[in-house]
Amino acid sequence: MPLIYALSHVPPEVSAYGMAKYSRSSASMKDSLLELSQQKAEAFLNTFYFAYGHASIADLAHVPLAIEQISLLAAMEIVDEPLWDGQERSTRYQDFSESPYYRPDNASDGYPTGIQSLFTVYRDLFSEAEALLRERWPKPEDMKTGAYGRTIRARAFDLARYALPLATLTSLGQVTNARVLEQQIRRLMASPLAEVREIAMGMKAAVTSIEPFNLLEARLRHLDIPIDDRALMEMNPGPIAPTLTKYTEPDQYTLERRALVQSIVASFFSGVSAARPTVTLHHAVDSQDDLLAGLVYQESLLSYADILERLARLSRAEKNDMLGHVLRVRGRHDAWPREMQQRPLVFDVTVDVGAFRDLNRHRRLDKIVQGLDPQLGYDVPPEIAELPWAKHYDAALARHYESLKDYPADERPYLLPLAALRRVLLRMDFAEAAYLIELRSRSSGHFSYRRIANQMFGELERAFPEMAKAVRVTPMAAFDPFER
């Protein structure tokens, strides 16, 4: 009969060691863990993880982290990890009107003015929207007053968040295995944003050199239960993952590859494609062209179609040369770039940043994200356009965008609102496309990503009509304002 039990209060590296021992010992997990210590785990991991290259052992050490008081802009980079699991403060349910914001070192004198101008639009838009929605959707008789108020506020935040600046501070919690955490820290250390590089160093320190927050100890002290010194030492073995993530350094391959691709973009792929919220499906694209287009996409402001059109003008030898330059700088232990992963369906999506943050949490797809640039403009969705206050919103954002040219380039991303448009290339198989469409088209979702999901379905239906019949899409017209 199977013997199955859960584990608790086991440090991640000791847990990884205990599970790895299954391949080297017949002892039970309980017996293995009882004889282990953090010091034994560290010695084992130094041998098998680093010396022998058994990287899969790090997959067994799951590390929870709280990352707080960071900008929305930085949070998007942190979350953009294929095997990431976590949660972030929601702009759909929480009021950010009095939120503090990130201010870069040596920020220009006008930086606070630019941020506050967006917060003013955010507050005004929320007030206008909440009043209008209460008038449009009176409380159903069978709905409790508190639930009704929360639902209307959430729908109003769906509109107001378009004006929220990306400098707004947020918090998130994540759980990753140690191998993913190591890759994540290395990637973040290579970020062009100083804030993100600082966060990466903080994440490394939090798991390698700083004692973790011990919930068991905190609860015992809160209950005034005495803890003797020996018990305290057992409960606090030291940093949570001092071995598996200690060699994290900036990802040099990412830095070198970025510089190479930027030079290619400057020579062959300059300019800006027209931007508006849209979805375009591409399939049956030449494999080499798709690899190159993936590399070029995130360093340019061109649509995927425009990149493919320019690639068609180049000879096979020229394209081989481009790929060769990028791949020759790949080190012995560097993985293939995410941009060069391929799936049969490629959706080129232009979407507001607020909706992008929701789509960014999908893991079973490959994402290639373009940088944030004011040249792509901002969205005025139909749901805002129909408000009496719409002209004020549009005029306020137009003035704000015009003022961005007066700020240094490294400050502009923080001064963009969630209404800012950005492009993302989503590569996925049919099953993930169906899952995304079914989930994100639901009536309870935000109207922006609902619209994207419906556009994706329309593209899929045109390309694969028989297969699309199996996708359970919720049309935009099927909407219940009280469904959350």
Side-chain angles (χ1 to χ4, degrees):
M1 181 176 181
L3 176 62
I4 302 169
Y5 51 90
L7 308 173
S8 68
H9 300 100
V10 182
E13 291 195 350
V14 174
S15 175
Y17 179 14
M19 293 187 182
K21 282 197 69 176
Y22 274 133
S23 68
R24 296 166 178 83
S25 168
S26 61
S28 71
M29 177 69 72
K30 292 178 182 177
D31 292 339
S32 294
L33 290 176
L34 284 171
E35 70 179 41
L36 292 179
S37 66
Q38 185 71 45
Q39 289 73 28
K40 285 184 179 179
E42 182 174 348
F44 172 86
L45 295 172
N46 276 323
T47 299
F48 285 89
Y49 185 64
F50 296 113
Y52 296 165
H54 288 254
S56 61
I57 293 174
D59 294 339
L60 303 172
H62 285 78
V63 181
L65 274 181
I67 306 170
E68 302 177 348
Q69 301 301 300
I70 61 173
S71 71
L72 292 173
L73 183 65
M76 283 192 289
E77 286 213 32
I78 292 167
V79 169
D80 189 23
E81 195 67 40
L83 297 178
W84 186 87
D85 291 306
Q87 291 287 324
E88 182 187 348
R89 288 184 65 193
S90 173
T91 57
R92 301 191 65 200
Y93 300 105
Q94 296 194 40
D95 185 355
F96 284 81
S97 60
E98 300 300 328
S99 174
Y101 60 88
Y102 175 77
R103 181 169 181 168
D105 292 337
N106 304 313
S108 58
D109 293 340
Y111 184 84
T113 302
I115 296 294
Q116 291 302 334
S117 69
L118 288 176
F119 274 123
T120 297
V121 179
Y122 173 80
R123 287 188 286 267
D124 290 347
L125 187 55
F126 173 78
S127 178
E128 168 84 12
E130 185 181 31
L132 182 69
L133 295 181
R134 285 182 180 276
E135 180 181 332
R136 179 183 296 172
W137 300 318
K139 186 181 79 68
E141 290 185 4
D142 60 345
M143 192 174 195
K144 293 183 178 180
T145 301
Y148 173 74
R150 289 190 297 271
T151 300
I152 292 297
R153 283 175 62 83
R155 292 294 184 189
F157 284 137
D158 282 353
L159 296 161
R161 80 174 190 181
Y162 276 79
L164 201 61
L166 294 182
T168 305
L169 294 189
T170 186
S171 300
L172 60 85
Q174 69 169 50
V175 180
T176 64
N177 66 52
R179 177 153 50 166
V180 170
L181 179 61
E182 182 181 43
Q183 295 168 351
Q184 182 187 36
I185 292 173
R186 292 185 68 236
R187 174 177 62 81
L188 296 176
M189 283 181 170
S191 171
L193 293 174
E195 180 196 10
V196 173
R197 296 195 298 272
E198 182 182 3
I199 290 168
M201 293 301 296
M203 292 170 67
K204 179 178 180 179
V207 297
T208 60
S209 59
I210 299 174
E211 287 272 357
F213 169 71
N214 189 316
L215 177 60
L216 177 59
E217 179 188 350
R219 288 181 63 85
L220 291 174
R221 294 194 184 282
H222 177 72
L223 296 170
D224 292 326
I225 298 175
I227 314 171
D228 65 36
D229 290 342
R230 288 183 61 192
L232 196 60
M233 288 181 63
E234 285 294 320
M235 289 166 56
N236 294 291
I240 197 167
T243 312
L244 293 172
T245 55
K246 65 181 177 181
Y247 293 126
T248 47
E249 300 295 337
D251 188 343
Q252 292 301 318
Y253 180 41
T254 292
L255 293 171
E256 292 179 40
R257 186 175 75 246
R258 184 183 298 146
L260 278 172
V261 175
Q262 285 172 348
S263 67
I264 292 171
V265 169
S267 298
F268 299 96
F269 302 95
S270 60
V272 183
S273 297
R276 59 181 180 81
T278 187
V279 175
T280 306
L281 171 63
H282 299 267
H283 57 95
V285 177
D286 176 84
S287 295
Q288 186 184 47
D289 284 0
D290 184 52
L291 291 176
L292 275 168
L295 288 168
V296 167
Y297 186 88
Q298 69 174 349
E299 299 296 340
S300 77
L301 291 176
L302 296 177
S303 69
Y304 184 72
D306 283 345
I307 293 172
L308 290 177
E309 190 274 329
R310 296 195 191 189
L311 282 169
R313 304 177 200 166
L314 302 177
S315 68
R316 181 67 66 175
E318 288 174 307
K319 289 185 272 194
N320 286 340
D321 192 47
M322 288 179 184
L323 277 176
H325 280 305
V326 173
L327 295 177
R328 275 193 291 272
V329 297
R330 187 170 72 96
R332 179 184 175 191
H333 300 292
D334 292 320
W336 278 69
R338 282 172 56 185
E339 301 88 348
M340 299 182 72
Q341 297 174 7
Q342 292 176 302
R343 301 287 181 92
L345 300 179
V346 180
F347 291 92
D348 189 3
V349 178
T350 303
V351 64
D352 66 85
V353 173
F356 164 79
R357 292 172 69 251
D358 294 301
L359 297 174
N360 195 33
R361 293 200 295 270
H362 284 264
R363 299 290 160 245
R364 283 190 52 240
L365 47 78
D366 301 318
K367 298 186 304 296
I368 303 174
V369 185
Q370 286 189 354
L372 287 162
D373 195 296
Q375 293 183 81
L376 293 183
Y378 58 90
D379 190 20
V380 184
E383 290 78 4
I384 287 182
E386 66 185 20
L387 295 176
W389 204 73
K391 289 184 179 179
H392 182 73
Y393 161 85
D394 195 12
L397 260 60
R399 287 194 302 273
H400 181 75
Y401 265 66
E402 179 63 23
S403 73
L404 291 178
K405 65 178 184 297
D406 299 327
Y407 291 92
D410 60 343
E411 293 181 15
R412 289 174 198 156
Y414 289 101
L415 288 158
L416 289 174
L418 288 182
L421 292 173
R422 79 178 315 176
R423 285 196 179 94
V424 56
L425 210 59
L426 302 177
R427 290 163 163 165
M428 65 194 80
D429 56 31
F430 194 93
E432 176 61 15
Y435 170 77
L436 190 154
I437 290 167
E438 292 178 355
L439 176 68
R440 294 300 180 182
S441 67
R442 291 175 183 170
S443 175
S444 58
H446 192 282
F447 55 80
S448 182
Y449 63 64
R450 287 195 69 213
R451 189 167 289 114
I452 291 297
N454 272 268
Q455 290 179 15
M456 288 177 66
F457 176 75
E459 292 287 307
L460 206 63
E461 192 174 36
R462 280 186 284 275
F464 306 101
E466 288 303 313
M467 295 177 70
K469 290 177 181 178
V471 180
R472 301 184 183 100
V473 63
T474 305
M476 289 295 293
F479 174 63
D480 178 355
F482 302 113
E483 182 182 350
R484 300 301 290 175

